[in-house]
């Protein structure tokens, strides 16, 4: 058995026992490794210590449970292994920056730590050859956009540090909140939209401030003579793109687990293997009218990695 398969066994065990006590030593025994080696291997592959990962997965389940107003916060906390209200509140606020009571009041969208598909880190696919996992289908190919596409929507600044999995903390899901606003207000410009295509765009990163700009909106069929308050026009420019197409069983799975795993694979495995980096820009196109499976695409403009030791781009 490969080392990564051992850790995937542990992840599957954790998922099935999140409401129970999960000592690190018991996990190590379950997969047949020493606690010392298991913890080192787990952190290397999952990017989190064992008990930190367990806590984050429990909090992900907690977020869903708290949406039910019939469940008491204390009962939810105890069900998922927290010793009491104070302990639970501290863990929740340290992770998300708000208390469980504040979350339940407004139901803000929060970043969550999804269960990783570690096997994807060790699979290389050719262009146009689908990668099929138990939760999604992924395919990578090149495309030339001959004419710019125009979108109408909202834009905001986002702190990189608070956006998992790029940042180190979970925080409020600011892009998700922007999408929520767009879907609440898009009716005012509905006559100008192709309702089957929507786009999220990350761009204009500012390393000094630790922020980037995020746009959320719909494909424009026509441009209004006067924009509604708050709405802006954003262009997906013409040019050469590499596209990662993702399909999942439902839209909810598509924009959570599938999108997270696709981003991890596309940027941290596939592009690195092909010695490519990207412009400081990426777009997510969502196809609302796709039949069968929920579908989206991640669009990037590729750049070659710099040669080691020369500082010059490969040509």
């Amino acid at each position: 058995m490969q080392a990564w398969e051992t850790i995937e066994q542990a992840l599957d065990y954790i998922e099935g026992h999140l409401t129970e006590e999960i000592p690190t030593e018991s996990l190590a025994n379950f997969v047949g490794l020493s606690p010392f080696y298991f913890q080192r291997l787990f952190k290397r592959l999952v990017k989190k210590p064992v008990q930190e990962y367990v806590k984050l997965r429990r909090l992900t389940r907690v977020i869903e449970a708290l949406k039910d107003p019939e469940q008491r916060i204390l009962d939810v906390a105890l069900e998922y292994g927290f010793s009491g209200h104070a302990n639970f509140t501290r863990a929740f606020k340290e992770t998300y920056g708000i208390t469980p009571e504040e979350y339940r009041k407004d139901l803000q969208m929060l970043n969550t730590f999804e269960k990783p598909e570690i096997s994807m880190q060790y699979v290389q696919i050719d262009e146009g050859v689908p990668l099929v996992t138990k939760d999604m289908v992924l395919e990578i190919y090149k495309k030339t956009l001959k004419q710019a596409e125009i979108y109408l929507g909202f834009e905001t600044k986002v702190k990189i540090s608070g956006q998992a999995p790029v940042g180190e903390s979970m925080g409020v899901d600011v892009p998700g909140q922007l999408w929520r606003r767009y879907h609440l207000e898009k009716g005012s410009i509905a006559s100008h939209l192709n309702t089957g295509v929507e786009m999220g765009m990350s761009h204009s990163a500012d390393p000094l401030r630790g922020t980037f700009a995020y746009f959320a909106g719909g494909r424009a069929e026509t441009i209004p003579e006067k924009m509604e308050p708050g709405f802006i026009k954003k262009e997906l420019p013409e040019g050469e793109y590499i596209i990662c197409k993702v399909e999942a069983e439902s839209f909810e799975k598509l924009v959570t687990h599938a999108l997270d795993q696709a981003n991890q694979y596309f940027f941290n495995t596939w592009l690195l293997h092909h010695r490519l980096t990207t412009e400081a820009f990426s777009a997510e196109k969502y196809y609302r009218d796709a039949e069968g499976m929920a579908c989206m695409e991640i669009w990037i403009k590729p750049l070659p990695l710099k040669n080691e030791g020369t500082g010059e781009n490969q040509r």
Side-chain angles (χ1 to χ4, degrees):
M1 181 181 293
Q2 300 283 349
W4 61 264
E5 292 177 297
T6 300
I7 299 304
E8 282 207 328
Q9 268 193 336
L11 293 177
D12 289 340
Y13 181 90
I14 290 169
E15 287 300 299
H17 298 80
L18 285 172
T19 59
E20 304 169 21
E21 187 177 356
I22 309 177
T24 300
E25 293 76 11
S26 296
L27 277 173
N29 290 335
F30 175 73
V31 298
L33 296 176
S34 71
F36 174 77
Y37 182 63
F38 171 71
Q39 290 180 83
R40 292 188 64 186
L41 185 61
F42 190 99
K43 186 173 182 179
R44 177 183 172 187
L45 297 182
V46 182
K47 315 303 181 189
K48 296 286 183 185
V50 178
Q51 291 305 320
E52 175 71 7
Y53 173 81
V54 171
K55 181 189 76 172
L56 292 175
R57 289 300 300 142
R58 282 175 170 156
L59 287 173
T60 298
R61 296 277 187 89
V62 160
I63 287 171
E64 291 303 311
L66 288 177
K67 292 178 182 178
D68 180 359
E70 299 300 318
Q71 292 205 59
R72 295 195 312 157
I73 291 176
L74 179 59
D75 292 339
V76 173
L78 295 175
E79 180 182 0
Y80 284 96
F82 295 92
S83 60
H85 193 284
N87 174 269
F88 172 58
T89 298
R90 181 169 59 253
F92 197 96
K93 188 166 186 178
E94 285 176 352
T95 302
Y96 299 115
I98 58 176
T99 66
E101 288 80 6
E102 290 169 334
Y103 168 71
R104 172 166 273 182
K105 178 181 178 181
D106 298 326
L107 291 181
Q108 296 185 63
M109 299 186 71
L110 302 175
N111 283 303
T112 56
F113 197 90
E114 298 296 326
K115 176 180 177 288
E117 299 289 344
I118 297 177
S119 60
M120 292 178 64
Q121 301 173 24
Y122 299 92
V123 176
Q124 293 298 332
I125 59 172
D126 295 325
E127 291 178 31
V129 178
L131 171 61
V132 181
T133 74
K134 61 183 179 181
D135 294 319
M136 66 179 181
V137 179
L138 182 151
E139 185 176 350
I140 297 173
Y141 53 90
K142 293 186 176 74
K143 182 174 182 177
T144 300
L145 188 64
K146 296 182 178 180
Q147 183 176 354
E149 297 177 352
I150 305 301
Y151 292 78
L152 305 176
F154 298 115
E155 186 167 282
T156 190
K157 291 287 186 182
V158 182
K159 288 186 178 180
I160 298 172
S161 62
Q163 299 303 301
V166 179
E168 295 181 355
S169 60
M170 299 295 106
V172 173
D173 181 2
V174 177
Q177 293 283 92
L178 194 67
W179 275 114
R180 177 179 287 180
R181 178 188 175 191
Y182 170 73
H183 287 299
L184 286 172
E185 300 186 33
K186 67 182 179 181
S188 63
I189 59 168
S191 61
H192 299 281
L193 296 175
N194 172 350
T195 56
V197 184
E198 297 174 342
M199 181 187 73
M201 180 187 290
S202 302
H203 65 97
S204 302
D206 185 340
L208 292 178
R209 291 182 172 84
T211 63
F212 64 93
Y214 187 82
F215 169 87
R219 177 83 179 268
E221 294 282 9
T222 59
I223 308 300
E225 293 183 5
K226 182 180 180 181
M227 297 290 284
E228 292 291 323
F231 281 90
I232 66 167
K233 180 175 67 175
K234 182 62 66 175
E235 181 179 284
L236 180 64
E238 62 184 33
E240 301 290 331
Y241 289 88
I242 296 180
I243 296 171
C244 178
K245 181 180 179 181
V246 189
E247 295 180 343
E249 294 180 0
S250 67
F251 192 77
E252 182 181 1
K253 289 184 178 179
L254 181 72
V255 299
T256 53
H257 180 76
L259 176 57
D260 180 67
Q261 299 306 313
N263 271 316
Q264 294 277 7
Y265 180 77
F266 193 29
F267 289 98
N268 298 335
T269 299
W270 197 89
L271 289 172
L272 287 179
H273 177 77
H274 289 79
R275 295 198 57 77
L276 294 169
T277 183
T278 72
E279 292 186 10
F281 149 92
S282 68
E284 306 153 7
K285 291 180 69 172
Y286 300 92
Y287 296 93
R288 289 285 188 170
D289 296 335
E291 295 183 3
M293 302 182 78
C295 178
M296 66 160 295
E297 296 169 337
I298 304 168
W299 290 48
I300 60 99
K301 287 195 167 186
L303 296 170
L305 286 172
K306 293 181 179 180
N307 283 327
E308 293 182 3
T310 65
E312 298 179 354
N313 283 340
Q314 291 181 328
R315 298 297 181 190

